Every structure is written in structure tokens, then in C-alpha cells.
Amino acid sequence: MIIGTGIDVVDIARFEEQIARTPGLVARLFTPLERDLHVRSLAARFAAKEAAAKALKAPPGMIWQHCWIENDPSGAPVLCTEGTVAEEARRQGIDRWHLTMTHDGGIAMAMVIAERTGEPAAAAAAGARAAESCGDGAAS
């Protein structure tokens, strides 16, 4: 069952200007493994984090670094969570995330679907599975 959906669009040039104007913004928004990516990839990842927040219905207290993007062996993006984001997902019964991202023509976009599969083992292990399947790219 779909619990929530989110979509976000980021103007890459505007995002790059904001990064240049705001010291520490990259460190506040992104995990250490994300920070050295090209600005278009950072913009897509920011769109994914925003889309995830929307899929969760924008809970207060969400820490940006508790949601990050890694790639599976085929190169597909994987939404990873821990801490505040994983806890809210557990509270809502979310045990599977679907993510797509793109950037082209100066725009980055991401869409997230938050799903409850109804599989008892998946629901019980959702937070741990997300962190374990995503390595150690989380905030530290």
C-alpha cells in the first residue's frame, strides 16, 4: 500500500548560487559521502530528500543527513534512512522506498514513493535494513 508520495524540482543554477552564498549548507544537507559530488548530483539528491520529506508529510524535526542517496550495484539510486527519518517511516509503517532522480536542462528532479508492503519481517526490520543495505554513508 502506498503511504505517501513526494516530488521535488530544483533549479541547479539557483541551488549552486545558494551553496556559494551559504557557508556550511553542503555540510548541513549532505552526508560526507555525498558532499564531493557535482552540483547537479547534489541538486538531485536535495530534490530526493525534499521528496522523501513530502512522502512523510513533512514531519517537524527531520534531520537532512538522516536521509541520503546511494547507488545499488546496477547504478540505480537507493534512498537510505536512519535516525529521525527512519523513526518517522517506522511510525507510519513504511518499509520500502522507491526513488527516481534526474537532471537535465538546468533542472534536477526526484520522485519518492513510500510503501507499506505488509510483510511483517520487512516492517519489523525496516530501519535496520535501510541502514545496513546502504552502507555507512550516514551522517557521522
Side-chain angles (χ1 to χ4, degrees):
M1 170 190 312
I2 293 174
I3 303 301
T5 62
I7 189 168
D8 198 63
V9 181
V10 174
D11 180 302
I12 296 170
R14 185 172 172 213
F15 186 72
E16 187 171 30
E17 291 169 8
Q18 187 66 31
I19 288 171
R21 279 196 317 262
T22 311
L25 183 62
V26 170
R28 189 168 67 242
L29 295 176
F30 300 101
T31 66
L33 292 177
E34 294 175 306
R35 293 177 191 159
D36 291 331
L37 296 171
H38 191 279
V39 69
R40 66 181 173 258
S41 293
L42 289 176
R45 279 164 171 72
F46 181 69
K49 292 170 189 243
E50 283 277 342
K54 291 172 183 176
L56 289 169
K57 295 151 189 73
M62 183 176 134
I63 296 173
W64 290 110
Q65 289 190 21
H66 289 176
C67 177
W68 72 98
I69 304 351
E70 291 188 9
N71 296 91
D72 72 11
S74 72
V78 177
L79 183 76
C80 306
T81 66
E82 70 174 13
T84 58
V85 179
E87 183 55 39
E88 183 61 24
R90 274 192 297 275
R91 191 186 73 69
Q92 293 186 33
I94 296 164
D95 56 19
R96 183 170 295 151
W97 296 98
H98 304 272
L99 167 65
T100 188
M101 303 185 309
T102 191
H103 48 74
D104 187 39
I107 299 291
M109 187 184 101
M111 180 177 175
V112 169
I113 298 172
E115 181 183 13
R116 179 185 309 139
T117 65
E119 301 166 11
R129 188 188 74 237
E132 289 170 7
S133 69
C134 291
D136 60 1
S140 42

